Amino acid sequence: MKHIKLVIGAIGYHVFVKYLRITGNRPQVLDSEQTVKHILHTKSSVSRYGDGELLWALQKRENGNFEKNSPLLAKRLQEILRSKKENLAICIPNVFNGLNTYKTDGKLYWEGFVIKRSFQVLKIIPKDRIYYNSFFTRPYMDLKNKNEYDFETYFSLVRQIWDNRNVLIIEGEKTRFGMNNDLLCNVKSTKRIICPSKNAFESYDEIISKTRNIANKIEDPVILIALGPTATVLAYDLSEEFQAIDIGHLDIEYEWYRMNAKEKRPVTGKYVSEVHRHFISELPDLELTKYKSEIVAKIGGRSF
């Protein structure tokens, strides 16, 4: 049955991609390395759209998945897609040019997504620009033939974005971006604002107010945001004042790379939404102490 689904999905996908190419409706999306180099060279902010953000933009996302469908969220996500800010890189999934580099499960998922949702999605994606690749934060797990890639060099390239910079992280409870690994080993300093892990957009005014207030007290900050679709909007709204990057699941991808994981697995001390056991154990004591010392504000709770 799975083989049949693969064949049907592949045929439908290739027919649709050919149609997009012939009609000129296929979005231009740069690859992950080009995306990172653009961010480095321009110090641009980044708003990313994965499958979830595109569905939230259409109000088609299943409720209960971290963020409620909201007319205001959908309006903002569609507004950002139309934006022409020069200091903002808008990233969308690079799934309209072929999926041969993806593992079977990922390939099957995206073939189905493209076939089912593309006509709706393409209506809200302007064609008069070049987009960057939202998968620059997901460079590892979904690729097949991992031995063909130099992941160490890639992650080192990404690290240059915050090299010798003061980092302000906006994240959900138990995200713990960069904790218990060396992803942030080259920063000047790290501060964190902890936000609700679910329905963060309902607290958006408080989140952006506290972020601006704290970022204005930091010299040359780079703001890294791991907060679902709220990150897409927040990076856009902050981009005139700061370099703000919707960094997504980069930290978890880095953890999986360090584990040499072949399938998605739990990560010590971090919430992983895509595995059955989302949170398996706490950080080591020293790491937990360090993490708590970096928290400067908590949305919906007391300030630290």
Side-chain angles (χ1 to χ4, degrees):
M1 181 60 71
K2 187 174 183 179
H3 178 71
I4 294 173
K5 286 183 179 179
L6 277 170
V7 172
I8 293 173
I11 293 172
Y13 171 81
H14 286 297
V15 169
F16 188 77
V17 167
K18 186 174 182 179
Y19 160 79
L20 291 179
R21 185 173 65 250
I22 292 171
T23 59
N25 287 323
R26 184 169 61 181
Q28 298 182 66
V29 185
L30 300 185
D31 66 30
S32 291
E33 185 174 332
Q34 290 171 318
T35 297
V36 176
K37 287 181 177 179
H38 171 80
I39 298 167
L40 279 170
H41 293 157
T42 64
K43 293 186 74 171
S44 62
S45 292
V46 178
S47 287
R48 292 174 46 264
Y49 290 75
D51 58 329
E53 285 73 23
L54 292 172
L55 292 175
W56 272 303
L58 297 167
Q59 295 191 66
K60 299 292 185 181
R61 187 67 159 164
E62 292 182 12
N63 283 322
N65 200 315
F66 298 106
E67 199 74 59
K68 296 175 183 176
N69 284 317
S70 155
L72 178 57
L73 177 59
K75 179 182 178 181
R76 294 302 318 278
L77 289 171
Q78 291 194 31
E79 169 197 345
I80 293 163
L81 279 171
R82 295 190 297 270
S83 169
K84 293 186 178 180
K85 284 188 176 185
E86 292 185 0
N87 62 336
L88 180 75
I90 299 176
C91 299
I92 65 173
N94 188 14
V95 295
F96 302 100
N97 297 301
L99 297 166
N100 291 333
T101 60
Y102 289 90
K103 295 191 302 185
T104 298
D105 288 348
K107 185 177 180 182
L108 186 61
Y109 174 80
W110 282 108
E111 284 174 348
F113 183 92
V114 169
I115 293 167
K116 183 178 181 181
R117 297 294 185 187
S118 278
F119 281 113
Q120 296 168 297
V121 166
L122 291 173
K123 284 181 180 179
I124 63 173
I125 297 179
K127 309 301 184 298
D128 59 344
R129 69 195 62 188
I130 293 175
Y131 291 93
Y132 299 90
N133 191 1
S134 60
F135 295 152
F136 88 89
T137 66
R138 286 183 173 270
Y140 175 76
M141 181 54 72
D142 285 337
L143 292 178
K144 65 179 181 181
N145 302 326
K146 291 180 173 55
N147 61 324
E148 297 179 4
Y149 298 90
D150 185 353
F151 295 109
E152 192 62 37
T153 296
Y154 179 82
F155 282 110
S156 293
L157 182 68
V158 175
R159 262 196 210 93
Q160 292 180 36
I161 294 171
W162 47 79
D163 187 50
N164 204 31
R165 302 276 300 277
N166 294 303
V167 172
L168 176 61
I169 299 171
I170 319 298
E171 61 182 358
E173 293 275 1
K174 292 186 172 66
T175 297
R176 280 89 178 269
F177 184 94
M179 293 304 306
N180 212 26
N181 62 41
D182 62 352
L183 197 56
L184 298 175
C185 66
N186 57 332
V187 305
K188 271 188 181 179
S189 68
T190 306
K191 291 182 171 61
R192 299 174 189 268
I193 299 175
I194 307 303
C195 304
S197 294
K198 293 186 177 182
N199 302 320
F201 193 69
E202 293 183 352
S203 302
Y204 187 76
D205 289 345
E206 184 179 1
I207 292 170
I208 193 168
S209 176
K210 285 196 175 182
T211 300
R212 281 183 171 135
N213 182 52
I214 292 169
N216 276 318
K217 299 173 183 176
I218 300 172
E219 182 182 358
D220 187 30
V222 56
I223 302 173
L224 305 180
I225 315 167
L227 205 60
T230 300
T232 309
V233 181
L234 188 60
Y236 172 82
D237 286 344
L238 293 172
S239 62
E240 293 299 326
E241 306 156 77
F242 312 100
Q243 184 181 21
I245 298 171
D246 172 2
I247 203 65
H249 286 77
L250 181 76
D251 179 64
I252 296 300
E253 289 277 319
Y254 185 58
E255 293 280 12
W256 286 333
Y257 158 66
R258 292 171 72 232
M259 295 178 189
N260 195 29
K262 301 299 186 290
E263 302 295 336
K264 295 176 181 180
R265 292 166 50 181
V267 176
T268 297
K270 300 180 182 183
Y271 187 89
V272 184
S273 63
E274 298 172 353
V275 298
H276 177 65
R277 296 176 64 199
H278 299 318
F279 190 84
I280 56 167
S281 59
E282 192 48 274
L283 290 172
D285 289 344
L286 285 176
E287 283 291 305
L288 190 59
T289 299
K290 181 176 183 291
Y291 164 72
K292 289 179 178 179
S293 73
E294 294 174 350
I295 298 172
V296 293
K298 188 171 183 179
I299 306 300
R302 64 182 178 87
S303 292
F304 286 75

